Amino acid sequence: MNLPFSHYPPSVAFPLRRLLLACAAGLALIAPVAHGQPAAAYPNKPIKLIVPFPAGGGGDTLARLVMLRAAKELGQPMVVENLGGAGGNVGSAAAAKSPADGYTVLYGTNGTHAINHAIYKSPGFSVRDFEPVTQLTRIAAMVVVRPTLQVNSMAELTKLLKANPGKYTFGSAGNGTTSHLAGEIYKSRAGLAVVHIPYRGGAQAMTDLMGGQIDMMIEVMPNAAPQAKGGRVKPLAVTTATRVAGWPDLPTIAESGLAGFDVSAWDAIFVPAGTPRPIVNRLNEAIHKALADPELRAQLQSRGAEAAPGTPEELARHIASNMTLWGDAVKRSGAAVD
């Protein structure tokens, strides 16, 4: 039975009190060190990277390019798990519920961390469920048309669509995706009536574009550029304010008659909320080193992506501004999920 100090004789109570106080002081000194040990030793086992999109798509490719290179800097394997569904919500929600120990990281995009919160009533997660680590890239989109469409410039495409309201179609990776909203912004700015055909992923939409089942897409360059290089689709313009380094001869939409047109996507890395800051910093450092590699930067540029590393705080501010930007685009377009 445990007795209060008053129940012990003075010869026992006072030394016992001093001993317990000394132990408490010692534990107070030890506790921060013990709490910091996992971060100091991080990482000491494989890290799981959740990509909330199907394998083989543009986002999956970019995630693997950067993070498998970062894994070398971390000295541990990076195991990729593709958990696609609901525009990235399924994988993002799963990552949000993972332990906050740095051994599960999430590949996120302007879709998962901005657009989805405007277009889905219940995405299944909040941006507050994550600690930002770093932005990876800024990603241009490319206007591409089926090879048999008789246009060879953005101006010709706009003229054709304006003369034939409701006759032509544009595909997207799904309702509320970057490719959908970029198409809606183009329609609105140019005063066009083009039928939207949503798909379950950009790869399926691109396949139908190559096959001639749809007429055009405004798709992020990691998906569109390889097909354009192979001649399977016809590239007309990029959506950013300036030309893309890897495609210097391809004009911008702004140059082609729609002044001020500027739409781009981005991707980033996140960890579950509550992950210790030393672990966040370690991941940030490794990713920045990976993105500094000239060979990797060249690979990214060839896909229309520009390395854009930054601090966790910069990423948090970027997300906040993007939630407004894409949220407004969703309202203007009337986009909704089925």
Side-chain angles (χ1 to χ4, degrees):
M1 181 174 63
N2 296 323
L3 296 175
F5 286 114
S6 59
H7 285 250
Y8 291 100
S11 60
V12 174
F14 295 143
L16 182 58
R17 186 191 298 272
R18 286 197 296 269
L19 176 62
L20 290 175
L21 289 173
C23 289
L27 287 172
L29 292 173
I30 292 170
V33 177
H35 179 73
Q37 281 177 352
Y42 177 86
N44 56 22
K45 63 180 181 179
I47 300 168
K48 179 169 69 174
L49 169 65
I50 292 181
V51 176
F53 306 107
D60 178 61
T61 300
L62 281 182
R64 290 171 186 265
L65 274 175
V66 177
M67 295 307 290
L68 295 183
R69 177 68 181 80
K72 294 180 181 179
E73 299 290 342
L74 292 166
Q76 290 291 337
M78 186 81 65
V79 180
V80 180
E81 182 176 355
N82 293 92
L83 290 176
N89 288 343
V90 173
S92 299
K97 297 178 177 67
S98 300
D101 58 6
Y103 289 100
T104 299
V105 300
L106 173 69
Y107 172 81
T109 66
N110 60 296
T112 60
H113 280 65
I115 295 173
N116 286 5
H117 295 279
I119 201 167
Y120 286 88
K121 290 182 179 179
S122 300
F125 70 101
S126 165
V127 294
R128 294 185 298 274
D129 293 331
F130 295 98
E131 303 285 351
V133 175
T134 181
Q135 185 172 333
L136 300 182
T137 68
R138 284 185 292 269
I139 307 164
M142 179 186 281
V143 182
V144 288
V145 300
R146 56 179 168 85
T148 55
L149 193 65
Q150 297 303 303
V151 296
N152 294 297
S153 70
M154 197 68 204
E156 289 180 4
L157 174 65
T158 301
K159 182 179 179 180
L160 175 69
L161 298 177
K162 189 167 287 190
N164 296 276
K167 179 179 178 180
Y168 292 94
T169 57
F170 83 93
S172 78
N175 283 314
T177 59
T178 300
S179 54
H180 173 207
L181 295 179
E184 295 289 352
I185 293 169
Y186 167 56
K187 284 171 54 180
S188 175
R189 289 288 308 277
L192 306 174
V194 188
V195 180
H196 173 225
I197 308 295
Y199 287 80
R200 293 189 176 183
Q204 293 179 8
M206 189 61 65
T207 297
D208 272 10
L209 181 65
M210 292 186 290
Q213 281 78 38
I214 54 176
D215 299 305
M216 64 166 289
M217 284 185 71
I218 302 182
E219 177 62 308
V220 290
M221 290 190 71
N223 283 351
Q227 311 306 333
K229 279 186 176 179
R232 292 177 286 274
V233 296
K234 192 186 302 182
L236 300 182
V238 294
T239 61
T240 41
T242 57
R243 296 192 182 195
V244 172
W247 291 74
D249 296 330
L250 197 62
T252 67
I253 292 179
E255 289 178 86
S256 306
L258 293 180
F261 196 100
D262 182 12
V263 173
S264 61
W266 52 266
D267 55 5
I269 293 297
F270 302 86
V271 290
T275 300
R277 184 58 187 247
I279 290 177
V280 173
N281 291 344
R282 180 75 182 93
L283 285 166
N284 181 285
E285 178 187 22
I287 294 168
H288 283 207
K289 287 182 178 179
L291 288 171
D293 179 71
E295 182 179 348
L296 176 59
R297 294 174 80 94
Q299 288 178 302
L300 293 174
Q301 281 190 350
S302 71
R303 291 164 169 80
E306 176 189 356
T311 67
E313 291 75 20
E314 287 170 336
L315 177 53
R317 290 193 293 270
H318 188 54
I319 292 168
S321 65
N322 260 242
M323 291 184 81
T324 300
L325 170 70
W326 291 105
D328 288 346
V330 168
K331 290 176 184 177
R332 286 197 306 269
S333 71
V337 293
D338 295 332

